[in-house]
Amino acid sequence: MSLKSRRELLHAVLVRYRSASKISKSQILDEFVESTGYDRKYAIVLLGKADVVTVVRLDRAVRRKRRRKYGTDIEQPFMSLWNLSGYLCPKRLIPFLADLIDALERFDEIHLFPHVKIKLLTMSVSTAERLLQRVRRQTEHGISTTTPGTLLRHTIPIRTYEDWAEDTPGFMEIDLVAHCGGTAAGDYCYTLTMTDISTSWTENVAVTNRSQIAVQEAIEVGRRLLPFPLLGIDSDNGGEFINYHLKRYCDEKKIVFTRCRPYKKNDQAHVEQKNGAVVRPLVGYARYEGAEAVAHLNRLYASNRLSLNFFEPSMKLVGKTRVGAHVKKSYDVAKTPWQRLQDAAILSETALERMKQRYLKLNPAQVRRKTRELEAGLPRFATGHIPLIRDSEPFQIETERSNARLGLTAAEGNGYATEA
């Protein structure tokens, strides 16, 4: 019997049960239990306490209200942790919450009562999603400035999203993000994003333009910042990548050079995801021009890479199962790039110990404060705004900026110590 049918039956026998004698009530109760399958005690509660008018809301009428487990004493600390994590989604934040709390407590950035800490560490992803429903941020969208490059396309092999079989860190997808303010006219800055396939380790380098020399120099800067050797790069088909200059550089450094299929952005899903999840939330969609803007962007990236690679976990797709027209995807447990790099076990003992000491000296709250201080200074270098084509009037994208002060020294924000 369906729930609707059981409620209709309850409504039909309710008045008769209330006015019946004790013996008749027992008979009515037996019939009601046999028809609905309810437990006898539960049926007595329904027949004895349900209101005739509001019988369609029986669940609310007879069910005991569950005491709220996560009140404001839990919500406020969780919001602070979410803020310090860089607004990670709960599926990435919850598995990393214990490490984040330990790091913050190590530098006396947060002090939690024992019962609050226990509840935070036992919080489910669903509960975290509910707590964040009211404060999710909205994002904007930019434009693509990729111009197809025809030179050397026949000499650079194509790699699709299904061809990544390398488990060794060092094979990276690369892409440029334009800071053009919504119009491709003139000269403006770009951000080169490099994402490792195995560990998700990400480096961002700002450049004044997308010339062949500027892009190649940015790749060299990113290569020197990596804690592991750069073994291969995979780019789109833009002329800034598909050229003799970069091909010769890769041959000299013994770097495998591949490209994606034209107009198939999913072939570069790893780095495309970082463009929207890292660069745009950090820099926005304003227009930046000149060497001073590039210098400030690189200072911002130098600070942000610490939290991005040491304190921001991500999930990796491990399998797909097709059930009819539906594709079910399964992911591994969220880990930071630093944790995945340790699991890969490719660093020498000296390099690994150096990285561990670097990690233990990092204060997540200080790193986040410095990043937001530099982020708050970006509007000084913005030279334009995005035109609203629909209304033919310009408008300025408004984003939240933090007023926190600097927390790291200049030396701490300059990058990592790496081995050649």
Side-chain angles (χ1 to χ4, degrees), residues 93-112:
L93 176 59
I94 294 301
F96 182 66
L97 201 55
D99 290 345
L100 179 61
I101 291 175
D102 289 343
L104 292 171
E105 289 180 338
R106 189 162 59 243
F107 292 94
D108 292 329
E109 290 287 350
I110 191 171
H111 301 279
L112 301 173

Side-chain angles (χ1 to χ4, degrees), residues 189 206 208 290-301 374 381:
C189 302
T208 53
E292 291 185 0
V294 167
H296 189 84
L297 286 171
N298 280 325
R299 287 193 293 268
L300 174 61
Y301 292 143
L374 293 168
F381 301 94

Side-chain angles (χ1 to χ4, degrees), residues 10-68:
L10 174 60
H11 190 274
V13 303
L14 193 57
V15 178
R16 186 162 56 94
Y17 178 83
R18 296 276 178 88
S19 60
S21 62
K22 188 174 182 180
I23 297 177
S24 299
K25 282 185 177 180
S26 180
Q27 294 175 351
I28 296 173
L29 184 61
D30 291 337
E31 295 173 358
F32 183 71
V33 170
E34 183 178 356
S35 300
T36 60
Y38 285 147
D39 182 85
R40 191 175 183 85
K41 291 294 185 182
Y42 180 63
I44 293 174
V45 173
L46 290 179
L47 293 170
K49 294 185 178 181
D51 190 281
V52 178
V53 178
T54 60
V55 70
V56 293
R57 298 184 179 180
L58 290 175
D59 289 343
R60 297 181 183 177
V62 301
R63 184 185 300 166
R64 294 181 180 178
K65 289 187 177 181
R66 183 178 178 183
R67 180 179 298 176
R68 187 178 180 184

Side-chain angles (χ1 to χ4, degrees), residues 22 202 346 384:
K22 188 174 182 180
T202 301
I346 66 164

Side-chain angles (χ1 to χ4, degrees), residues 295-312:
H296 189 84
L297 286 171
N298 280 325
R299 287 193 293 268
L300 174 61
Y301 292 143
S303 175
N304 183 66
R305 72 160 61 95
L306 300 175
S307 59
L308 179 62
N309 294 315
F310 285 100
F311 301 108
E312 294 190 19

Side-chain angles (χ1 to χ4, degrees), residues 8 63 91 129 161 181 193-194 218 232 281 285 297 315 339:
E8 290 175 352
R63 184 185 300 166
K91 290 182 180 178
E129 291 279 6
Y161 65 93
T193 303
M194 306 173 63
Y285 295 84
L297 286 171
M315 300 181 297
Q339 291 172 328

Side-chain angles (χ1 to χ4, degrees), residues 207-228:
V207 292
T208 53
N209 53 59
R210 59 174 178 178
S211 66
Q212 299 177 10
I213 295 177
V215 171
Q216 182 266 313
E217 290 177 349
I219 293 175
E220 175 63 17
V221 171
R223 185 183 73 87
R224 293 180 178 276
L225 289 173
L226 293 173
F228 45 79

